[in-house]
Amino acid sequence: MGRNQLYILLALLSAAALGWLGYSFAFTTFSTANDFSPCLFKSTTGLPCPACGSTRSLMTLLQGHWQEALFWNPLGFLLFAFLLIVPIWILRDLFVRSDSLFRFYTLTEKTLQKRVVSIPLIALLVANWIWNIVKNN
Amino acid sequence: MEANKVDMFILANGKFFESHQLQMIRERLLSLDDSKWAVIQTLQFKDPTTSIIVSILAGSLGIDRFMIGDTGLGIGKLLTCGGLGIWALVDWFLIMDATREKNLAKLQTMLY
């Protein structure tokens, strides 16, 4: 994947995420029974996926309740950092004609592929998923 | 490299690459030094059929992307429930060619 493709993909992802966040602020009631879930995994299997709850996490985080955000899904913090940094980084790279984000992405990918990094992260994700299922997110 | 060795390689590994690239691979291999043969023979490629099966079963968790080495995209799929299902669906159609491209990239590190 080239630089431009990555930037288009990341920009689309950020835009979609912000749009979805805006929609959620208008309609989410924080009850699993009433809310519309866009997650295909959840609607087909009935079990929450590893990322289920991150919308609620982001919303509570933006309202300042970080403990509640941690409860809904700790991955929300990661997404918050992503949404805060990536759009600005893309704009910066476009203006100064740099590819620093692309190089950072490739470097991160290489790091994550190392066994010492990937195995603990996978364990954490699985633990988070089990927690997600137990609390029925 | 000798033509029969190259043909043997193409015969054994042709399914791992896109068909329109096979001619280019053949020509590159023919012009390659014989000493590289041992290394090229031991290269392990990812099977596109395996990746489509993984994509159908666990695509919404991004496992298919992790498997072929697109770690960044895998995380993207994992953290968005497979792009709300849409990305996972699109990847059913993209993942086989993506696998073949990854295989070519792997071979190319040996060719040049």
PDB file of all heavy atoms in Angstrom, chain A residues 29-67:
ATOM      1  N   THR A  29     -28.839   5.447  23.846  1.00  0.00           N
ATOM      2  CA  THR A  29     -29.469   5.525  25.166  1.00  0.00           C
ATOM      3  C   THR A  29     -28.681   4.765  26.227  1.00  0.00           C
ATOM      4  O   THR A  29     -29.109   4.675  27.372  1.00  0.00           O
ATOM      5  CB  THR A  29     -30.882   4.927  25.116  1.00  0.00           C
ATOM      6  OG1 THR A  29     -30.769   3.556  24.715  1.00  0.00           O
ATOM      7  CG2 THR A  29     -31.763   5.664  24.139  1.00  0.00           C
ATOM      8  N   PHE A  30     -27.555   4.173  25.840  1.00  0.00           N
ATOM      9  CA  PHE A  30     -26.691   3.411  26.750  1.00  0.00           C
ATOM     10  C   PHE A  30     -27.362   2.170  27.322  1.00  0.00           C
ATOM     11  O   PHE A  30     -27.021   1.697  28.384  1.00  0.00           O
ATOM     12  CB  PHE A  30     -26.167   4.278  27.908  1.00  0.00           C
ATOM     13  CG  PHE A  30     -25.074   5.188  27.481  1.00  0.00           C
ATOM     14  CD1 PHE A  30     -25.354   6.464  27.028  1.00  0.00           C
ATOM     15  CD2 PHE A  30     -23.758   4.753  27.485  1.00  0.00           C
ATOM     16  CE1 PHE A  30     -24.341   7.304  26.611  1.00  0.00           C
ATOM     17  CE2 PHE A  30     -22.740   5.579  27.060  1.00  0.00           C
ATOM     18  CZ  PHE A  30     -23.031   6.865  26.624  1.00  0.00           C
ATOM     19  N   SER A  31     -28.359   1.665  26.605  1.00  0.00           N
ATOM     20  CA  SER A  31     -28.914   0.389  27.026  1.00  0.00           C
ATOM     21  C   SER A  31     -28.752  -0.572  25.857  1.00  0.00           C
ATOM     22  O   SER A  31     -29.133  -0.257  24.724  1.00  0.00           O
ATOM     23  CB  SER A  31     -30.376   0.540  27.413  1.00  0.00           C
ATOM     24  OG  SER A  31     -31.180  -0.277  26.608  1.00  0.00           O
ATOM     25  N   THR A  32     -28.136  -1.720  26.131  1.00  0.00           N
ATOM     26  CA  THR A  32     -27.809  -2.656  25.051  1.00  0.00           C
ATOM     27  C   THR A  32     -29.060  -3.095  24.311  1.00  0.00           C
ATOM     28  O   THR A  32     -29.018  -3.435  23.138  1.00  0.00           O
ATOM     29  CB  THR A  32     -27.080  -3.887  25.624  1.00  0.00           C
ATOM     30  OG1 THR A  32     -26.411  -3.478  26.815  1.00  0.00           O
ATOM     31  CG2 THR A  32     -26.075  -4.419  24.650  1.00  0.00           C
ATOM     32  N   ALA A  33     -30.197  -3.105  25.019  1.00  0.00           N
ATOM     33  CA  ALA A  33     -31.419  -3.621  24.405  1.00  0.00           C
ATOM     34  C   ALA A  33     -31.989  -2.641  23.382  1.00  0.00           C
ATOM     35  O   ALA A  33     -32.494  -3.053  22.339  1.00  0.00           O
ATOM     36  CB  ALA A  33     -32.447  -3.914  25.488  1.00  0.00           C
ATOM     37  N   ASN A  34     -31.883  -1.347  23.652  1.00  0.00           N
ATOM     38  CA  ASN A  34     -32.565  -0.371  22.795  1.00  0.00           C
ATOM     39  C   ASN A  34     -31.721   0.104  21.623  1.00  0.00           C
ATOM     40  O   ASN A  34     -32.261   0.476  20.587  1.00  0.00           O
ATOM     41  CB  ASN A  34     -32.957   0.862  23.620  1.00  0.00           C
ATOM     42  CG  ASN A  34     -33.961   0.511  24.698  1.00  0.00           C
ATOM     43  OD1 ASN A  34     -34.711  -0.447  24.551  1.00  0.00           O
ATOM     44  ND2 ASN A  34     -33.946   1.261  25.780  1.00  0.00           N
ATOM     45  N   ASP A  35     -30.398   0.108  21.807  1.00  0.00           N
ATOM     46  CA  ASP A  35     -29.560   0.778  20.820  1.00  0.00           C
ATOM     47  C   ASP A  35     -29.352  -0.061  19.571  1.00  0.00           C
ATOM     48  O   ASP A  35     -29.248  -1.277  19.629  1.00  0.00           O
ATOM     49  CB  ASP A  35     -28.206   1.128  21.443  1.00  0.00           C
ATOM     50  CG  ASP A  35     -28.330   2.299  22.391  1.00  0.00           C
ATOM     51  OD1 ASP A  35     -29.229   3.127  22.158  1.00  0.00           O
ATOM     52  OD2 ASP A  35     -27.548   2.361  23.349  1.00  0.00           O
ATOM     53  N   PHE A  36     -29.275   0.629  18.441  1.00  0.00           N
ATOM     54  CA  PHE A  36     -28.943  -0.022  17.180  1.00  0.00           C
ATOM     55  C   PHE A  36     -27.457  -0.356  17.183  1.00  0.00           C
ATOM     56  O   PHE A  36     -26.628   0.477  17.515  1.00  0.00           O
ATOM     57  CB  PHE A  36     -29.267   0.930  16.020  1.00  0.00           C
ATOM     58  CG  PHE A  36     -28.562   0.592  14.743  1.00  0.00           C
ATOM     59  CD1 PHE A  36     -28.977  -0.487  13.979  1.00  0.00           C
ATOM     60  CD2 PHE A  36     -27.472   1.339  14.314  1.00  0.00           C
ATOM     61  CE1 PHE A  36     -28.326  -0.806  12.807  1.00  0.00           C
ATOM     62  CE2 PHE A  36     -26.811   1.019  13.134  1.00  0.00           C
ATOM     63  CZ  PHE A  36     -27.243  -0.061  12.383  1.00  0.00           C
ATOM     64  N   SER A  37     -27.130  -1.614  16.891  1.00  0.00           N
ATOM     65  CA  SER A  37     -25.718  -1.995  16.848  1.00  0.00           C
ATOM     66  C   SER A  37     -25.270  -2.203  15.409  1.00  0.00           C
ATOM     67  O   SER A  37     -25.866  -2.981  14.677  1.00  0.00           O
ATOM     68  CB  SER A  37     -25.492  -3.277  17.632  1.00  0.00           C
ATOM     69  OG  SER A  37     -24.202  -3.750  17.350  1.00  0.00           O
ATOM     70  N   PRO A  38     -24.233  -1.481  14.973  1.00  0.00           N
ATOM     71  CA  PRO A  38     -23.761  -1.644  13.601  1.00  0.00           C
ATOM     72  C   PRO A  38     -22.862  -2.864  13.439  1.00  0.00           C
ATOM     73  O   PRO A  38     -22.401  -3.155  12.347  1.00  0.00           O
ATOM     74  CB  PRO A  38     -22.960  -0.361  13.382  1.00  0.00           C
ATOM     75  CG  PRO A  38     -22.421  -0.036  14.730  1.00  0.00           C
ATOM     76  CD  PRO A  38     -23.442  -0.509  15.721  1.00  0.00           C
ATOM     77  N   CYS A  39     -22.603  -3.583  14.554  1.00  0.00           N
ATOM     78  CA  CYS A  39     -21.617  -4.666  14.514  1.00  0.00           C
ATOM     79  C   CYS A  39     -22.258  -5.943  13.962  1.00  0.00           C
ATOM     80  O   CYS A  39     -23.162  -6.505  14.567  1.00  0.00           O
ATOM     81  CB  CYS A  39     -21.073  -4.921  15.910  1.00  0.00           C
ATOM     82  SG  CYS A  39     -19.816  -6.191  15.936  1.00  0.00           S
ATOM     83  N   LEU A  40     -21.774  -6.380  12.786  1.00  0.00           N
ATOM     84  CA  LEU A  40     -22.321  -7.589  12.163  1.00  0.00           C
ATOM     85  C   LEU A  40     -22.040  -8.823  13.007  1.00  0.00           C
ATOM     86  O   LEU A  40     -22.854  -9.723  13.096  1.00  0.00           O
ATOM     87  CB  LEU A  40     -21.712  -7.778  10.778  1.00  0.00           C
ATOM     88  CG  LEU A  40     -22.426  -7.123   9.604  1.00  0.00           C
ATOM     89  CD1 LEU A  40     -21.826  -7.601   8.308  1.00  0.00           C
ATOM     90  CD2 LEU A  40     -23.906  -7.444   9.634  1.00  0.00           C
ATOM     91  N   PHE A  41     -20.859  -8.840  13.632  1.00  0.00           N
ATOM     92  CA  PHE A  41     -20.480  -9.985  14.463  1.00  0.00           C
ATOM     93  C   PHE A  41     -21.487 -10.191  15.577  1.00  0.00           C
ATOM     94  O   PHE A  41     -21.937 -11.297  15.849  1.00  0.00           O
ATOM     95  CB  PHE A  41     -19.078  -9.742  15.037  1.00  0.00           C
ATOM     96  CG  PHE A  41     -18.473 -10.934  15.729  1.00  0.00           C
ATOM     97  CD1 PHE A  41     -17.707 -11.848  15.030  1.00  0.00           C
ATOM     98  CD2 PHE A  41     -18.674 -11.138  17.089  1.00  0.00           C
ATOM     99  CE1 PHE A  41     -17.150 -12.943  15.659  1.00  0.00           C
ATOM    100  CE2 PHE A  41     -18.115 -12.234  17.730  1.00  0.00           C
ATOM    101  CZ  PHE A  41     -17.356 -13.137  17.011  1.00  0.00           C
ATOM    102  N   LYS A  42     -21.874  -9.071  16.204  1.00  0.00           N
ATOM    103  CA  LYS A  42     -22.799  -9.137  17.327  1.00  0.00           C
ATOM    104  C   LYS A  42     -24.192  -9.527  16.859  1.00  0.00           C
ATOM    105  O   LYS A  42     -24.872 -10.325  17.513  1.00  0.00           O
ATOM    106  CB  LYS A  42     -22.834  -7.780  18.019  1.00  0.00           C
ATOM    107  CG  LYS A  42     -23.514  -7.774  19.360  1.00  0.00           C
ATOM    108  CD  LYS A  42     -23.158  -6.481  20.036  1.00  0.00           C
ATOM    109  CE  LYS A  42     -24.133  -6.012  21.050  1.00  0.00           C
ATOM    110  NZ  LYS A  42     -23.736  -4.681  21.529  1.00  0.00           N
ATOM    111  N   SER A  43     -24.614  -8.993  15.723  1.00  0.00           N
ATOM    112  CA  SER A  43     -25.980  -9.303  15.296  1.00  0.00           C
ATOM    113  C   SER A  43     -26.091 -10.721  14.757  1.00  0.00           C
ATOM    114  O   SER A  43     -27.181 -11.280  14.761  1.00  0.00           O
ATOM    115  CB  SER A  43     -26.493  -8.274  14.282  1.00  0.00           C
ATOM    116  OG  SER A  43     -25.448  -7.663  13.607  1.00  0.00           O
ATOM    117  N   THR A  44     -24.991 -11.301  14.280  1.00  0.00           N
ATOM    118  CA  THR A  44     -25.096 -12.670  13.781  1.00  0.00           C
ATOM    119  C   THR A  44     -24.871 -13.710  14.879  1.00  0.00           C
ATOM    120  O   THR A  44     -25.545 -14.730  14.906  1.00  0.00           O
ATOM    121  CB  THR A  44     -24.108 -12.930  12.629  1.00  0.00           C
ATOM    122  OG1 THR A  44     -22.840 -12.412  13.010  1.00  0.00           O
ATOM    123  CG2 THR A  44     -24.562 -12.294  11.354  1.00  0.00           C
ATOM    124  N   THR A  45     -23.912 -13.456  15.779  1.00  0.00           N
ATOM    125  CA  THR A  45     -23.606 -14.476  16.783  1.00  0.00           C
ATOM    126  C   THR A  45     -24.244 -14.193  18.139  1.00  0.00           C
ATOM    127  O   THR A  45     -24.331 -15.086  18.974  1.00  0.00           O
ATOM    128  CB  THR A  45     -22.090 -14.600  17.007  1.00  0.00           C
ATOM    129  OG1 THR A  45     -21.617 -13.357  17.529  1.00  0.00           O
ATOM    130  CG2 THR A  45     -21.349 -14.922  15.727  1.00  0.00           C
ATOM    131  N   GLY A  46     -24.657 -12.949  18.384  1.00  0.00           N
ATOM    132  CA  GLY A  46     -25.211 -12.607  19.687  1.00  0.00           C
ATOM    133  C   GLY A  46     -24.150 -12.265  20.711  1.00  0.00           C
ATOM    134  O   GLY A  46     -24.467 -11.763  21.783  1.00  0.00           O
ATOM    135  N   LEU A  47     -22.894 -12.553  20.364  1.00  0.00           N
ATOM    136  CA  LEU A  47     -21.793 -12.220  21.275  1.00  0.00           C
ATOM    137  C   LEU A  47     -21.170 -10.904  20.847  1.00  0.00           C
ATOM    138  O   LEU A  47     -21.099 -10.618  19.655  1.00  0.00           O
ATOM    139  CB  LEU A  47     -20.719 -13.314  21.227  1.00  0.00           C
ATOM    140  CG  LEU A  47     -21.084 -14.691  21.769  1.00  0.00           C
ATOM    141  CD1 LEU A  47     -19.958 -15.663  21.470  1.00  0.00           C
ATOM    142  CD2 LEU A  47     -21.330 -14.608  23.265  1.00  0.00           C
ATOM    143  N   PRO A  48     -20.699 -10.090  21.809  1.00  0.00           N
ATOM    144  CA  PRO A  48     -20.022  -8.863  21.423  1.00  0.00           C
ATOM    145  C   PRO A  48     -18.653  -9.161  20.812  1.00  0.00           C
ATOM    146  O   PRO A  48     -18.012 -10.136  21.197  1.00  0.00           O
ATOM    147  CB  PRO A  48     -19.871  -8.105  22.744  1.00  0.00           C
ATOM    148  CG  PRO A  48     -19.934  -9.150  23.787  1.00  0.00           C
ATOM    149  CD  PRO A  48     -20.831 -10.223  23.270  1.00  0.00           C
ATOM    150  N   CYS A  49     -18.227  -8.356  19.867  1.00  0.00           N
ATOM    151  CA  CYS A  49     -16.899  -8.524  19.287  1.00  0.00           C
ATOM    152  C   CYS A  49     -15.877  -7.786  20.161  1.00  0.00           C
ATOM    153  O   CYS A  49     -16.266  -7.068  21.086  1.00  0.00           O
ATOM    154  CB  CYS A  49     -16.875  -8.006  17.848  1.00  0.00           C
ATOM    155  SG  CYS A  49     -16.629  -6.245  17.673  1.00  0.00           S
ATOM    156  N   PRO A  50     -14.575  -7.944  19.919  1.00  0.00           N
ATOM    157  CA  PRO A  50     -13.589  -7.304  20.806  1.00  0.00           C
ATOM    158  C   PRO A  50     -13.727  -5.785  20.885  1.00  0.00           C
ATOM    159  O   PRO A  50     -13.300  -5.169  21.852  1.00  0.00           O
ATOM    160  CB  PRO A  50     -12.248  -7.692  20.176  1.00  0.00           C
ATOM    161  CG  PRO A  50     -12.524  -8.908  19.399  1.00  0.00           C
ATOM    162  CD  PRO A  50     -13.929  -8.801  18.923  1.00  0.00           C
ATOM    163  N   ALA A  51     -14.312  -5.169  19.847  1.00  0.00           N
ATOM    164  CA  ALA A  51     -14.385  -3.709  19.829  1.00  0.00           C
ATOM    165  C   ALA A  51     -15.746  -3.184  20.253  1.00  0.00           C
ATOM    166  O   ALA A  51     -15.944  -1.975  20.312  1.00  0.00           O
ATOM    167  CB  ALA A  51     -14.042  -3.190  18.438  1.00  0.00           C
ATOM    168  N   CYS A  52     -16.698  -4.084  20.536  1.00  0.00           N
ATOM    169  CA  CYS A  52     -18.028  -3.618  20.930  1.00  0.00           C
ATOM    170  C   CYS A  52     -17.944  -2.799  22.217  1.00  0.00           C
ATOM    171  O   CYS A  52     -17.245  -3.167  23.157  1.00  0.00           O
ATOM    172  CB  CYS A  52     -18.970  -4.804  21.126  1.00  0.00           C
ATOM    173  SG  CYS A  52     -19.680  -5.389  19.584  1.00  0.00           S
ATOM    174  N   GLY A  53     -18.646  -1.696  22.253  1.00  0.00           N
ATOM    175  CA  GLY A  53     -18.612  -0.840  23.427  1.00  0.00           C
ATOM    176  C   GLY A  53     -17.690   0.354  23.257  1.00  0.00           C
ATOM    177  O   GLY A  53     -17.656   1.225  24.113  1.00  0.00           O
ATOM    178  N   SER A  54     -16.937   0.395  22.156  1.00  0.00           N
ATOM    179  CA  SER A  54     -15.994   1.511  22.031  1.00  0.00           C
ATOM    180  C   SER A  54     -16.700   2.818  21.710  1.00  0.00           C
ATOM    181  O   SER A  54     -16.197   3.889  22.065  1.00  0.00           O
ATOM    182  CB  SER A  54     -14.895   1.196  21.018  1.00  0.00           C
ATOM    183  OG  SER A  54     -15.334   0.393  19.991  1.00  0.00           O
ATOM    184  N   THR A  55     -17.866   2.751  21.056  1.00  0.00           N
ATOM    185  CA  THR A  55     -18.615   3.994  20.833  1.00  0.00           C
ATOM    186  C   THR A  55     -19.049   4.589  22.171  1.00  0.00           C
ATOM    187  O   THR A  55     -18.813   5.772  22.452  1.00  0.00           O
ATOM    188  CB  THR A  55     -19.861   3.728  19.970  1.00  0.00           C
ATOM    189  OG1 THR A  55     -19.460   3.089  18.768  1.00  0.00           O
ATOM    190  CG2 THR A  55     -20.567   5.018  19.629  1.00  0.00           C
ATOM    191  N   ARG A  56     -19.648   3.730  23.028  1.00  0.00           N
ATOM    192  CA  ARG A  56     -20.084   4.201  24.350  1.00  0.00           C
ATOM    193  C   ARG A  56     -18.882   4.687  25.163  1.00  0.00           C
ATOM    194  O   ARG A  56     -18.957   5.690  25.876  1.00  0.00           O
ATOM    195  CB  ARG A  56     -20.796   3.058  25.083  1.00  0.00           C
ATOM    196  CG  ARG A  56     -22.226   2.861  24.620  1.00  0.00           C
ATOM    197  CD  ARG A  56     -22.755   1.502  24.961  1.00  0.00           C
ATOM    198  NE  ARG A  56     -22.216   0.470  24.078  1.00  0.00           N
ATOM    199  CZ  ARG A  56     -22.356  -0.828  24.281  1.00  0.00           C
ATOM    200  NH1 ARG A  56     -22.992  -1.271  25.340  1.00  0.00           N
ATOM    201  NH2 ARG A  56     -21.859  -1.698  23.432  1.00  0.00           N
ATOM    202  N   SER A  57     -17.747   3.960  24.989  1.00  0.00           N
ATOM    203  CA  SER A  57     -16.533   4.368  25.698  1.00  0.00           C
ATOM    204  C   SER A  57     -16.090   5.769  25.280  1.00  0.00           C
ATOM    205  O   SER A  57     -15.808   6.627  26.115  1.00  0.00           O
ATOM    206  CB  SER A  57     -15.424   3.360  25.406  1.00  0.00           C
ATOM    207  OG  SER A  57     -14.212   3.807  25.925  1.00  0.00           O
ATOM    208  N   LEU A  58     -16.073   5.995  23.951  1.00  0.00           N
ATOM    209  CA  LEU A  58     -15.652   7.299  23.439  1.00  0.00           C
ATOM    210  C   LEU A  58     -16.594   8.404  23.907  1.00  0.00           C
ATOM    211  O   LEU A  58     -16.155   9.494  24.288  1.00  0.00           O
ATOM    212  CB  LEU A  58     -15.642   7.274  21.913  1.00  0.00           C
ATOM    213  CG  LEU A  58     -14.307   7.000  21.237  1.00  0.00           C
ATOM    214  CD1 LEU A  58     -14.489   6.922  19.735  1.00  0.00           C
ATOM    215  CD2 LEU A  58     -13.319   8.114  21.567  1.00  0.00           C
ATOM    216  N   MET A  59     -17.907   8.103  23.899  1.00  0.00           N
ATOM    217  CA  MET A  59     -18.868   9.126  24.289  1.00  0.00           C
ATOM    218  C   MET A  59     -18.702   9.516  25.755  1.00  0.00           C
ATOM    219  O   MET A  59     -18.682  10.704  26.090  1.00  0.00           O
ATOM    220  CB  MET A  59     -20.290   8.612  24.042  1.00  0.00           C
ATOM    221  CG  MET A  59     -20.624   8.537  22.570  1.00  0.00           C
ATOM    222  SD  MET A  59     -22.131   7.620  22.291  1.00  0.00           S
ATOM    223  CE  MET A  59     -23.292   8.703  23.079  1.00  0.00           C
ATOM    224  N   THR A  60     -18.554   8.501  26.619  1.00  0.00           N
ATOM    225  CA  THR A  60     -18.394   8.823  28.043  1.00  0.00           C
ATOM    226  C   THR A  60     -17.068   9.538  28.281  1.00  0.00           C
ATOM    227  O   THR A  60     -16.971  10.417  29.125  1.00  0.00           O
ATOM    228  CB  THR A  60     -18.467   7.555  28.903  1.00  0.00           C
ATOM    229  OG1 THR A  60     -17.752   6.516  28.256  1.00  0.00           O
ATOM    230  CG2 THR A  60     -19.892   7.120  29.112  1.00  0.00           C
ATOM    231  N   LEU A  61     -16.049   9.161  27.494  1.00  0.00           N
ATOM    232  CA  LEU A  61     -14.746   9.811  27.640  1.00  0.00           C
ATOM    233  C   LEU A  61     -14.842  11.285  27.275  1.00  0.00           C
ATOM    234  O   LEU A  61     -14.304  12.157  27.963  1.00  0.00           O
ATOM    235  CB  LEU A  61     -13.724   9.091  26.750  1.00  0.00           C
ATOM    236  CG  LEU A  61     -12.268   9.467  26.946  1.00  0.00           C
ATOM    237  CD1 LEU A  61     -11.829   9.179  28.364  1.00  0.00           C
ATOM    238  CD2 LEU A  61     -11.380   8.714  25.974  1.00  0.00           C
ATOM    239  N   LEU A  62     -15.579  11.575  26.194  1.00  0.00           N
ATOM    240  CA  LEU A  62     -15.726  12.960  25.752  1.00  0.00           C
ATOM    241  C   LEU A  62     -16.537  13.775  26.763  1.00  0.00           C
ATOM    242  O   LEU A  62     -16.402  14.990  26.841  1.00  0.00           O
ATOM    243  CB  LEU A  62     -16.390  13.012  24.374  1.00  0.00           C
ATOM    244  CG  LEU A  62     -15.485  12.567  23.218  1.00  0.00           C
ATOM    245  CD1 LEU A  62     -16.257  12.538  21.909  1.00  0.00           C
ATOM    246  CD2 LEU A  62     -14.280  13.488  23.087  1.00  0.00           C
ATOM    247  N   GLN A  63     -17.393  13.086  27.540  1.00  0.00           N
ATOM    248  CA  GLN A  63     -18.144  13.797  28.587  1.00  0.00           C
ATOM    249  C   GLN A  63     -17.336  13.896  29.873  1.00  0.00           C
ATOM    250  O   GLN A  63     -17.804  14.465  30.862  1.00  0.00           O
ATOM    251  CB  GLN A  63     -19.469  13.078  28.847  1.00  0.00           C
ATOM    252  CG  GLN A  63     -20.476  13.272  27.715  1.00  0.00           C
ATOM    253  CD  GLN A  63     -21.550  12.206  27.718  1.00  0.00           C
ATOM    254  OE1 GLN A  63     -21.454  11.222  28.443  1.00  0.00           O
ATOM    255  NE2 GLN A  63     -22.572  12.399  26.900  1.00  0.00           N
ATOM    256  N   GLY A  64     -16.137  13.310  29.866  1.00  0.00           N
ATOM    257  CA  GLY A  64     -15.244  13.463  31.009  1.00  0.00           C
ATOM    258  C   GLY A  64     -15.266  12.330  32.017  1.00  0.00           C
ATOM    259  O   GLY A  64     -14.520  12.366  32.992  1.00  0.00           O
ATOM    260  N   HIS A  65     -16.119  11.314  31.787  1.00  0.00           N
ATOM    261  CA  HIS A  65     -16.174  10.212  32.756  1.00  0.00           C
ATOM    262  C   HIS A  65     -15.229   9.101  32.327  1.00  0.00           C
ATOM    263  O   HIS A  65     -15.653   8.130  31.722  1.00  0.00           O
ATOM    264  CB  HIS A  65     -17.596   9.651  32.854  1.00  0.00           C
ATOM    265  CG  HIS A  65     -18.645  10.706  32.965  1.00  0.00           C
ATOM    266  ND1 HIS A  65     -18.714  11.553  34.056  1.00  0.00           N
ATOM    267  CD2 HIS A  65     -19.643  11.069  32.132  1.00  0.00           C
ATOM    268  CE1 HIS A  65     -19.737  12.381  33.877  1.00  0.00           C
ATOM    269  NE2 HIS A  65     -20.303  12.113  32.720  1.00  0.00           N
ATOM    270  N   TRP A  66     -13.957   9.226  32.671  1.00  0.00           N
ATOM    271  CA  TRP A  66     -12.996   8.269  32.117  1.00  0.00           C
ATOM    272  C   TRP A  66     -13.112   6.888  32.744  1.00  0.00           C
ATOM    273  O   TRP A  66     -12.817   5.887  32.105  1.00  0.00           O
ATOM    274  CB  TRP A  66     -11.570   8.796  32.202  1.00  0.00           C
ATOM    275  CG  TRP A  66     -11.054   8.988  33.595  1.00  0.00           C
ATOM    276  CD1 TRP A  66     -11.173  10.122  34.340  1.00  0.00           C
ATOM    277  CD2 TRP A  66     -10.364   8.038  34.397  1.00  0.00           C
ATOM    278  NE1 TRP A  66     -10.598   9.929  35.556  1.00  0.00           N
ATOM    279  CE2 TRP A  66     -10.082   8.651  35.623  1.00  0.00           C
ATOM    280  CE3 TRP A  66      -9.937   6.712  34.194  1.00  0.00           C
ATOM    281  CZ2 TRP A  66      -9.417   8.000  36.652  1.00  0.00           C
ATOM    282  CZ3 TRP A  66      -9.274   6.063  35.217  1.00  0.00           C
ATOM    283  CH2 TRP A  66      -9.013   6.709  36.424  1.00  0.00           C
ATOM    284  N   GLN A  67     -13.568   6.796  33.999  1.00  0.00           N
ATOM    285  CA  GLN A  67     -13.728   5.465  34.608  1.00  0.00           C
ATOM    286  C   GLN A  67     -14.825   4.674  33.897  1.00  0.00           C
ATOM    287  O   GLN A  67     -14.681   3.480  33.644  1.00  0.00           O
ATOM    288  CB  GLN A  67     -14.078   5.584  36.096  1.00  0.00           C
ATOM    289  CG  GLN A  67     -12.879   5.940  36.948  1.00  0.00           C
ATOM    290  CD  GLN A  67     -13.154   7.145  37.811  1.00  0.00           C
ATOM    291  OE1 GLN A  67     -13.848   8.069  37.390  1.00  0.00           O
ATOM    292  NE2 GLN A  67     -12.622   7.146  39.021  1.00  0.00           N
TER     293      GLN A  67
END
